[in-house]
Amino acid sequence: MTTLVLLDTNTYLRLAKRVRPFVGLKFGQMPYVLTILKVTEDEVHRNPHLQFRNPWFDQTEHAQERIAKQVRLTASEKAQVEAAQSILLGWARMDLDRFTSYGRSPPGEADCWLLAFGQVRPAVVVTDDLGMHELIKDFPDMKVWHGYELLAKLRTAKVVDDALIRAIYEALEANGDMTRTWRDAKHTTFKRVFGSGPRV
């Protein structure tokens, strides 16, 4: 059975421009398949800042790829996702201090939709949002990866090579989009890619 890998907005924007093809790509022995849901696409279209910084998002190649690989829910599945989303949102809002400490942001509706979707269909959610990682501590049946973990799995599956990983990191640096988790992974997960130079 195929396991969907659900990409949140930032993960998609960090990887989809350079890893080609992207949405619909199958990899690993499971196998996994990279997926972007409509709720994630809508999040970009509602955010002028994201559109400005990512003008490639609606270029034909990327838009057609997303349309061709859309995942549709049955009415029953949609009702289940909505119910689970409501529970997750309520849970996060009960303890906002917990989800806003250490620079985290509380999971929003789109975040909780992805997590809820992953409860209804076999799926892993990929996000660098630390609030989402904090939330799933209370729901251990959910599977969540950081963006760099997905990139490492793509490297193991020989979908990306070391040169592409270095190019992705250069783009994150140039765009001011380097998170702490990605920076730490450069010296741990990708130590062989970058060598053992000084930490930056």
Side-chain angles (χ1 to χ4, degrees), residues 41-192:
E41 193 169 2
D42 290 345
E43 204 170 32
V44 176
H45 287 145
R46 286 195 306 266
N47 189 318
H49 177 69
L50 289 179
Q51 290 181 61
F52 176 77
R53 291 198 52 178
N54 301 278
W56 57 269
F57 183 82
D58 279 322
Q59 288 176 352
T60 303
E61 175 189 358
H62 300 282
Q64 286 184 346
E65 182 181 74
R66 293 194 302 269
I67 290 169
K69 303 297 182 181
Q70 279 186 358
V71 176
R72 304 195 189 287
L73 292 169
T74 65
S76 172
E77 287 175 327
K78 185 176 181 183
Q80 292 177 62
V81 172
E82 287 172 347
Q85 177 196 36
S86 178
I87 291 168
L88 291 167
L89 271 172
W91 192 269
R93 288 170 179 167
M94 280 194 309
D95 192 0
L96 281 178
D97 286 346
R98 173 185 170 194
F99 294 104
T100 54
S101 59
Y102 304 107
R104 291 189 287 250
S105 55
E109 290 189 12
D111 300 326
C112 290
W113 179 269
L114 290 183
L115 293 172
F117 191 107
Q119 288 189 305
V120 174
R121 292 266 189 102
V124 178
V125 175
V126 186
T127 178
D128 293 311
D129 185 328
L130 297 180
M132 290 173 74
H133 284 270
E134 182 66 22
L135 179 58
I136 65 123
K137 290 179 181 177
D138 299 327
F139 299 89
D141 56 321
M142 294 181 181
K143 294 181 181 177
V144 178
W145 298 340
H146 287 279
Y148 75 84
E149 291 177 287
L150 169 60
L151 188 60
K153 291 177 190 299
L154 293 175
R155 178 177 182 257
T156 299
K158 302 192 185 315
V159 172
V160 301
D161 60 17
D162 292 355
L164 183 54
I165 291 173
R166 287 191 288 269
I168 288 168
Y169 264 86
E170 286 171 10
L172 294 178
E173 290 278 11
N175 295 333
D177 196 24
M178 182 69 69
T179 68
R180 178 183 57 79
T181 53
W182 276 85
R183 185 176 292 109
D184 290 348
K186 183 175 182 179
H187 305 287
T188 53
T189 305
F190 299 121
K191 187 174 182 180
R192 290 185 179 180

